[in-house]
Amino acid sequence: MEWLNYHHLLYFWMVAREGTVAKAGEKLSLAQPTISGQLRALEAAFDQKLFVRSGRHLVLTETGRLVYSYAD
């Protein structure tokens, strides 16, 4: 991916706020695969993991926290 768009950051930001892709999907009225695909693209662009799984929730990594502060 050569560039990022608003949707990459919006979906990332919402997942970070909500803690799960499912809850973010409900808030954004989008299917989970759509959000997951955008998150994978964003992680590929940074070549870094932005989330780690903790039980059923996603928790920001150090890089994820940095990206979240930018997106917020």
Side-chain angles (χ1 to χ4, degrees):
M1 180 172 73
E2 297 179 14
W3 51 271
L4 302 176
N5 64 38
Y6 170 76
H7 291 109
H8 292 103
L9 291 177
L10 174 64
Y11 300 166
F12 165 79
W13 180 80
M14 187 62 74
V15 171
R17 279 190 57 219
E18 297 299 320
T20 68
V21 173
K23 286 182 184 176
E26 288 175 18
K27 295 274 183 171
L28 294 167
S29 299
L30 293 170
Q32 291 178 25
T34 301
I35 296 172
S36 295
Q38 292 287 341
L39 290 179
R40 279 192 300 278
L42 190 60
E43 288 180 333
F46 288 118
D47 196 28
Q48 296 276 327
K49 285 288 195 185
L50 300 175
F51 294 99
V52 292
R53 193 161 283 292
S54 176
R56 292 183 175 204
H57 295 278
L58 295 173
V59 178
L60 291 170
T61 62
E62 188 67 33
T63 303
R65 285 191 287 276
L66 182 64
V67 174
Y68 181 77
S69 68
Y70 173 78
D72 196 35

